[in-house]
Amino acid sequence: MSDAYRVAVVTGATSGIGKAIVPMLRRRGLAVHAVGRNEAVLAELAESCGAVPVVADVRDTARIADALAGVEVDVLVNNAGILSTRAAFQDIDPAEIDAMIDVNLKAPMHLTRAFLPGMVARKRGHLLYIGSSGGQAPYPGMGAYGPSKAGLSLFCDNLRCDLLGTSVRVSEIVPGRVQTALYRTSIPDNQAGAVLYDGYRPIQPENIAQVVNDVIALPVHVDVARVEVFPTDQASGGGTMVKFEAP
């Protein structure tokens, strides 16, 4: 049963969705290794909920694997991601293309490769990936971000084929607009709140953490392959939302 899970790793643990998932997993009784670059926030998580800090850039797979050498990881939550620009593709700095593919696609693949053999050998494990509606439908200004998340989605599908018979589950959580700091570098002058959230009812990180909790809690013979989670005021494709008018 899924209650046999004992140890989890969460990337991007110092903000947004990752920061909400860490205490949720702790409440489930799992030891949680929280991976992130912000040492101060990791220390706060250690103090508040007992998470084990792993100070590392998610792209430094070797450092993370070394820090967790000998740890039997049951749950790997690949949450870290960046949207470093929302420019039209012809205007994107080529370095931004590499950055988004490295963080959003390559890092989860390499971390999966690092921890998956142990899961397969133990016939126990759950791989979770925080995808994006931007990987399922086109949105303006996401010519690099969208393909990086679409690649992650197809990676999940391929993993399920390879893992049949191992009892290792693969779940992709695909949110729409969540109120996090993801857009802080892609919308200038700290205007992300005014542009994206004022007057709307966006998903909160804790809502996605609840979905992750529910997916993990199911019996191991049940795998939620992919779940899309949108604000009630948003529809997939085109990126438009409507203002909420209270009755």
Side-chain angles (χ1 to χ4, degrees):
M1 299 294 291
S2 60
D3 58 8
Y5 296 158
R6 294 289 181 264
V7 179
V9 174
V10 179
T11 68
T14 57
S15 66
I17 294 171
K19 191 176 180 183
I21 289 173
V22 169
M24 177 276 294
L25 291 173
R26 288 291 296 136
R27 289 192 294 271
R28 288 191 61 84
L30 278 74
V32 180
H33 296 262
V35 180
R37 295 181 297 176
N38 190 322
E39 190 170 357
V41 175
L42 290 176
E44 291 172 7
L45 285 171
E47 176 68 22
S48 64
C49 69
V52 180
V54 180
V55 182
D57 188 301
V58 72
R59 291 167 288 193
D60 194 348
T61 311
R63 178 171 180 167
I64 297 170
D66 287 346
L68 297 173
V71 176
E72 294 187 355
V73 177
D74 298 313
V75 178
L76 174 61
V77 183
N78 288 282
N79 162 73
I82 60 170
L83 172 57
S84 55
T85 180
R86 294 181 73 208
F89 192 77
Q90 63 269 24
D91 299 323
I92 291 178
D93 184 332
E96 301 288 0
I97 300 173
D98 291 337
M100 283 185 272
I101 292 175
D102 287 347
V103 173
N104 298 342
L105 179 58
K106 289 172 63 176
M109 293 179 71
H110 282 296
L111 284 174
T112 299
R113 182 61 183 85
F115 296 116
L116 183 56
M119 294 182 181
V120 171
R122 295 186 295 272
K123 288 189 175 295
R124 185 179 76 244
H126 201 154
L127 301 164
L128 294 106
Y129 301 84
I130 305 301
S132 170
S133 60
Q136 307 293 322
Y139 290 83
M142 293 192 179
Y145 178 81
S148 72
K149 288 296 190 177
L152 184 69
S153 187
L154 186 57
F155 174 57
C156 292
D157 291 339
N158 278 275
L159 273 177
R160 291 185 200 95
C161 293
D162 289 346
L163 293 174
L164 292 175
T166 68
S167 289
V168 177
R169 298 187 287 179
V170 181
S171 299
E172 182 190 7
I173 314 300
V174 182
R177 191 168 295 180
V178 183
Q179 191 165 359
T180 71
L182 178 70
Y183 293 90
R184 66 187 180 277
T185 56
S186 62
I187 297 179
D189 303 322
N190 297 315
Q191 293 298 305
V195 172
L196 297 175
Y197 305 125
D198 290 355
Y200 299 109
R201 300 179 296 176
I203 297 170
Q204 297 302 310
E206 292 76 16
N207 303 141
I208 301 302
Q210 180 63 52
V211 174
V212 171
N213 175 78
D214 295 345
V215 166
I216 291 173
L218 289 166
V220 294
H221 71 279
V222 180
D223 183 12
V224 177
R226 180 173 294 112
V227 56
E228 297 186 6
V229 188
F230 282 89
T232 304
D233 305 320
Q234 181 187 11
S236 179
T240 58
M241 296 179 67
V242 296
K243 284 185 177 292
F244 171 67
E245 299 292 345

